[in-house]
Amino acid sequence: ENLSTPSSPATARNDCSITPLTPSPSPMVEVRSQMACPFSVVVAIDFGTTSSGYAFSFTQDSEAIHMMKRWEGGDPGVANQKSPTCLLLTPDLRFHSFGFAARDFYHDLDPEEARHWLYFDKFKMKIHSTSDLTMETELEAVNGQRVRAIEVFAHALRFFREHALKEVKDQSSSVLEGDEVRWVITVPAVWRQPAKQFMREAAYLAGLVSPDSPEQLLIALEPEAASIYCRKLRLHQVIDLSMQPITNGLELDGSRPFDSSFRQGDRYVVADCGGGTVDLTVHQIEQPQGTLKELYKASGGPYGAVGVDLAFEAMLCQIFGEDFIQSFKAKRPAAWVDLMIAFEARKRTASPGRTNALNISLPFSFIDYYKRHRGQSVEAALRRSNMNIVKWSSQGMLRLTQEAMNELFQPTITKIVKHIEELMAKPEVRGVRFLFLVGGFAESPMLQKAVQKALGRTCRIIIPHDVGLTILKGAVLFGLDPTVVRVRRCPLTYGVGVLNRFVEGRHPRDKLLIKDGREWCTDILDRFVSVDQSVALGEVVRRSYTPARLGQRKIIINIYCSVTDDVTYISDPGVRKCGTITLDLPESLPPLGAVGGAGAPERREIRATMQFGDTEIKVTAVDVMSNRSVRASIDFLSN
């Protein structure tokens, strides 16, 4: 027998002690059959840290993926199939603009006026770095003002919704109804459940879909989307770094050229190197169906290209003083953004073979402000800082030597390479022949060279031609057929706390609870799934729960998670409460057998079914006696 733990007073609503009836964990059960796509168009939004975009495809003609139109106000010389992830709100917090338009408008504001406008960029990273994300989490605009993060994300998604729908309608012959569109939003695979749920809530708020039809919105994992696209690539669509001569003259041991396509059974790693995160996924193409199977849980971390920008900012602080940089950012926010844009453009051209320095023009207001603030020239500051790797040019430019660029890139690149190497050393991943580098940062020759140098001997390193759009195109393919990834690995161990019969000598005395004269051990973790366990699509975990008293309206169950699997109790170190399942009980049915005399009312049994094989954790529930479904929700954001 196992009963559930009475919730601790902090989380208790006195009506929520629960009794799991199933004594043994039910085996995983296959459900969910392949179904035809009920939507007429799939729109994918790649919401990136530094740049974002959308693409779409009509299900009738799913071979053709339409990329979004070029944006107004793009930078000269940059392919603008994506737009910078920047958002501008008016002083009274209304949406003003997104992307290049937001950046340019903000930049043209009078400095005094600009201080009242709210400009956000690279705000996606905050969702990754916040450990206790909720609907109330706030973001800070460049001017220091704070707004709820969910509002900022909703503004951006609403902008994409309007743009995409307008373009879809221009291309479509028939009239589109809202429920004919399936939306796909991409997130890093290393994001935890709360962050994925946050994106979904932002999409509801933005009006992409209604919370009543959640299946209309898919959350896609970025490296997974890239993988779906990569496995379809042909030779002429990729750059094979391993085919390029390795500098020290050693030939590769006659490796076969990248054949025209993958074979069944091939295993490969996708390293999605974006602005904010680096995200690694290992896939195998299953025979004979050609679906994908994840071989090792997604890994990665906040080692994106933004790290290089932060290093540049730190370098400026070192030269000009941190107090000055902070003050300049606060008083001249638009000029600061301008300086970072100038650096961004230079960062993209940095490559290991360069001999000449890279020039970055300092905005006039920077030079002027420094002189007034410090009473000396920028040039004098540079001389005084003893930074030999940064020079000052007579045209008013900061000259970053090759050594300076190396120093800015090094920490981030080292972290990425180390992470890929660690993954490649795992037993499940050994012998993988292909490494795909995708994402915007994968365009950087600095990163390409470092990865080639570290890993070019052990595997083939392949970069798709349109590397910045790989995720977007893959996300559309995923929306057309979400069953293509058939097996995933659990990132964490999940379970609930239950009571089991107390066994003397096995259970600690401090967990003893005496209830109705029987001895129970509290806080035992009843596992749903274990970390790195393989879970196939449609496999489910079932548990039964019984309300503690008659007339109870809700059963609330706390979910716990842990990064390791060697845990016994929910009180063990490393185990934390991460969410709740809520089961809404329908009005009590008349007790069985009440007709022919007063039979005692039956205890009700609610069977909850949880699914862990998807990109999000889902729960459904049914009232066993009446076979009616019960409203069941799972929440990771209200902790």
Side-chain angles (χ1 to χ4, degrees), residues 11 164 178 183 189 298 302 338 391 417 426 430 453-454 483 510:
T11 54
W183 295 89
D338 218 26
K391 307 268 190 279
V417 169
K426 302 262 186 250
R430 285 219 188 101
K453 201 173 144 211
T483 62
D510 62 350

Side-chain angles (χ1 to χ4, degrees), residues 17 27 197 261 292 316 396 438 472:
S17 62
Q197 185 184 334
S261 68
L292 295 173
L316 291 177
V438 302
L472 201 40

Side-chain angles (χ1 to χ4, degrees), residues 17 55 106 110 119 132 155 174 187 199 208 212 220 250 252 294 359 440 448 454 461 470 485 573 633:
S17 62
Y106 182 60
D110 167 75
Y119 181 79
D132 50 350
H155 279 307
S174 60
V187 304
M199 266 314 209
L208 260 68
D212 300 331
L250 281 170
L252 278 167
E294 191 176 12
N359 288 326
Q448 290 180 6
I461 299 162
T470 309
V485 182
S633 56

Side-chain angles (χ1 to χ4, degrees), residues 86-89 96-97 99-111 113-121 141-144 329-338 341:
C86 324
L87 175 78
L88 184 61
L89 302 181
H96 180 274
S97 47
F100 291 110
R103 219 177 67 178
D104 297 347
F105 184 89
Y106 182 60
H107 176 254
D108 293 341
L109 283 170
D110 167 75
E113 205 186 340
R115 286 164 57 182
H116 302 292
W117 287 65
L118 287 81
Y119 181 79
F120 298 88
D121 68 346
V142 176
N143 69 351
K329 269 166 114 168
K331 295 284 190 290
R332 297 280 182 275
W336 171 256
V337 169
D338 218 26
I341 289 165

Side-chain angles (χ1 to χ4, degrees), residues 26-69:
S26 49
M28 291 275 197
V29 199
E30 277 284 345
V31 287
R32 185 154 131 174
S33 58
Q34 189 96 351
M35 62 169 231
C37 189
F39 306 99
S40 56
V41 61
V42 169
V43 183
I45 299 174
D46 176 11
F47 195 126
T49 302
T50 39
S51 62
S52 298
Y54 64 85
F56 58 94
S57 177
F58 295 101
T59 42
Q60 304 293 267
D61 176 22
S62 56
E63 286 303 298
I65 295 179
H66 306 268
M67 300 306 297
M68 65 193 215
K69 289 211 191 76

Side-chain angles (χ1 to χ4, degrees), residues 311-322 325 381 384-387 389 407:
F312 176 62
E313 188 178 324
M315 182 183 268
L316 291 177
C317 289
Q318 213 179 324
I319 299 171
F320 302 107
E322 190 168 346
I325 296 294
R384 216 188 57 234
S385 73
N386 287 330
M387 270 272 197
I389 51 177
E407 210 161 286

Side-chain angles (χ1 to χ4, degrees), residues 9 36 54 94 109 136 300 306 351 360 477-478 482 512 539 559 562 590 633:
Y54 64 85
R94 285 204 314 271
L109 283 170
E136 304 309 314
V306 170
S351 69
I360 294 168
L477 296 173
F478 179 69
L512 174 63
E539 275 188 336
I559 306 173
S562 157
S633 56

